[in-house]
Amino acid sequence: MFTWIHRFGSAPNVYRLSGVLAPWFGVSAALCIIIGLYLGLVVAPPDYEQGESYRIIYIHVPAAWMSMFAYVVMAVSSAIFLIWRLKVADAVAAAVAPIGAAFTAVALITGSFWGKPMWGTWWVWDARLTSELLLLFLYLGYMALRGALAAPGESSAPSTTAARGAAILAVVGVINIPIIHFSVEWWNTLHQPSTITRFDKPAMHISMLRPLLLMALGAQLLFFHNLTVRLRTGLLQRESRARWVRELAIAQSNTPPGDNTPGASSTVVPEKPEPSA
Amino acid sequence: MNALTEFLAMGGYAFYVWASYAAAFVLIGGIVLWSRYELNAARQRIFVRARRTERSR
C-alpha cells in the first residue's frame, strides 16, 4: 500500500497527471462560472427582502466554502507529509496556500460589500467574520513561515525545517475550520445561519439555488485547475536537478515550436522515472 | 437600453454588487494568471538549465 502511494505520488507521476487534468479543470470551471453568472445575475429573481444586493452571494458563498475546503486540503496534505514524509504532499500544501488565501480574501471583501447595505456597517467583530479573518492570517502565516525558514538563496527548494514548521502550523490551524462553520450556531452572531444544510431543505428558491450551486462547482473546479498548475510549478522547482526533469527538458526541445500547452509537455515524462518521494 | 441600465443599476446596489464581482475577478483571476505565468517561467528557466547540463555531459 505504502509502496503504491509512494510510486503513484512520485513527482514525475503527479507532474504528468496534473498536466493532463489542468486544462479539463480550467475549461469546466469556465463553463460553470459563465452559466452560473448568467443565471445568477440575469435569470434569478431579486430577493423579496434584500432586493438585488443578494446577488453578491454568488461570489461570496462559493469563496467562503472554498476558503475552508482549501484549508482542509492544506492541513490533510501537511499531515500526510509529516506522517509519511511524502514530498509531493508538502508541494500540494504549498500550492494550496495562496489559492486559499485568495478565496478567503474574496469571501471577506464581498462579505463587507454585502454587510454595508444590509447591516449598515462594513465590518463587525462577529464570531463568523473574526474566525474567517483568522483563517486569512493562518494562510498568510503559513506562507510567511515557509518563506522565513526557507534555505538561504534557495527559494524554490524549501528546507526541511520550513516544510515541517509550516506543516505543523497548518495541522494545528485546522481547529479553526469547525469554529468558522459552527460559529453561527455556537454564538449569537450577526451573520445568518447556513442557507444550505445537508439534512434540511434549502432556505432558497430553486431559481436562486441553481446558480449558487453552479458557481460553487465552478469555484471548486477553478481551485483544482489552479492547484494542478501551481503543483507543477512547485514540483519543477523542487526537482529541478532530477533526471526526469532533464529528460523532460530534452524531450520538450524536440517537440514542435508553439506546442507549449500544459498537457503537451506532460506526455513526454519517461515511463519509469527515478523514485523521488 | 432601459433594461441594460436597470440591470447595471442593480436596484440601487450597483456599487456593492459590481465592486464585489470586480474584487473577486481581480483576486481569483489574478492568482490564476500568476500561477500560469510562474509555471511558464519555471519551465523556461529550469528546462534551459537542464538542457545545458545535459549537453555538457
Side-chain angles (χ1 to χ4, degrees), chain A residues 81-162:
Chain A
F81 169 69
L82 287 173
I83 297 164
W84 289 299
R85 309 215 169 160
L86 202 65
K87 280 193 281 183
V88 168
D90 179 52
V92 169
V96 165
I99 312 171
F103 275 116
T104 312
V106 168
L108 287 168
I109 292 168
T110 54
S112 240
F113 276 118
W114 181 85
K116 182 62 184 165
M118 290 300 117
W119 295 342
T121 178
W122 294 101
W123 182 265
V124 278
W125 291 102
D126 166 283
R128 171 60 70 87
L129 276 69
T130 309
S131 52
E132 186 74 13
L133 182 65
L134 188 64
L135 183 69
L136 179 64
F137 291 152
L138 279 169
Y139 278 121
L140 298 179
Y142 177 89
M143 291 188 281
L145 193 61
R146 281 193 88 90
L149 297 180
E154 275 288 335
S155 60
S156 55
S159 70
T160 314
T161 319

Side-chain angles (χ1 to χ4, degrees), chain A residues 121-277:
Chain A
T121 178
W122 294 101
W123 182 265
V124 278
W125 291 102
D126 166 283
R128 171 60 70 87
L129 276 69
T130 309
S131 52
E132 186 74 13
L133 182 65
L134 188 64
L135 183 69
L136 179 64
F137 291 152
L138 279 169
Y139 278 121
L140 298 179
Y142 177 89
M143 291 188 281
L145 193 61
R146 281 193 88 90
L149 297 180
E154 275 288 335
S155 60
S156 55
S159 70
T160 314
T161 319
R164 278 201 192 158
I168 291 168
L169 174 69
V171 171
V172 171
V174 82
I175 191 72
N176 192 37
I177 299 300
I179 293 176
I180 296 172
H181 184 74
F182 293 110
S183 57
V184 287
E185 291 169 27
W186 291 346
W187 293 287
N188 190 17
T189 65
L190 197 56
H191 196 284
Q192 71 265 40
S194 300
T195 311
I196 300 165
T197 57
R198 192 176 293 175
F199 303 109
D200 289 339
K201 219 177 114 186
M204 293 176 86
H205 189 262
I206 188 72
S207 58
M208 295 171 171
L209 183 64
R210 227 177 357 216
L212 179 61
L213 295 178
L214 258 175
M215 289 295 284
L217 179 64
Q220 186 95 38
L221 291 163
L222 193 64
F223 166 80
F224 282 113
H225 168 73
N226 216 345
L227 172 61
T228 46
V229 171
R230 295 190 65 78
L231 185 55
R232 297 187 94 205
T233 312
L235 291 175
L236 270 186
Q237 287 174 336
R238 280 155 191 263
E239 304 264 315
S240 61
R241 292 176 203 284
R243 190 163 64 97
W244 69 270
V245 175
R246 286 204 305 274
E247 288 175 356
L248 190 63
I250 300 299
Q252 272 256 315
S253 65
N254 297 331
T255 53
D259 192 7
N260 198 29
T261 56
S265 64
S266 65
T267 54
V268 292
V269 173
E271 286 288 313
K272 286 182 182 172
E274 272 182 349
S276 57

